[in-house]
């Protein structure tokens, strides 16, 4: 689902679904970051690291109960 969560109204997804979706984004971004680093594409790897960090910030917000969708 990835960033589709930002188009749903608050409460559409359960907390567990939301956190699971964000954790999947973190894992995907970190995996892509490692793959890019391994192939020497360090600029793109840094961007994927930033994407993972944003997802971790979202996860912190979800854990704190302050997460809100961006576009709903």
């Amino acid at each position: 689902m990835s960033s589709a969560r930002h188009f749903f109204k608050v409460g559409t997804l359960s907390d567990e679904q939301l956190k699971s979706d964000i954790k999947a984004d973190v894992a995907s971004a970190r995996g892509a970051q490692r793959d890019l680093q391994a192939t020497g594409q360090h600029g793109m790897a840094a961007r994927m690291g930033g994407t993972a960090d944003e997802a971790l910030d979202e996860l912190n917000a979800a854990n704190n109960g302050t997460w809100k969708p961006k576009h709903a």
Side-chain angles (χ1 to χ4, degrees):
M1 185 171 21
S2 192
S3 295
R5 65 183 168 268
H6 289 288
F7 292 92
F8 294 121
K9 291 181 184 177
V10 173
T12 302
L13 299 173
S14 70
D15 284 347
E16 194 59 40
Q17 289 171 316
L18 176 64
K19 291 174 186 178
S20 176
D21 187 51
I22 296 170
K23 288 176 186 178
D25 284 353
V26 172
S28 177
R30 288 291 185 220
Q33 182 183 24
R34 282 189 299 274
D35 292 346
L36 289 164
Q37 287 171 336
T39 60
Q41 298 180 39
H42 300 289
M44 286 297 294
R47 279 181 271 216
M48 290 310 295
T51 299
D53 291 345
E54 288 176 20
L56 287 170
D57 289 343
E58 277 190 73
L59 184 58
N60 285 333
N63 287 332
N64 294 333
T66 58
W67 183 88
K68 290 186 173 47
K70 294 179 182 177
H71 308 293

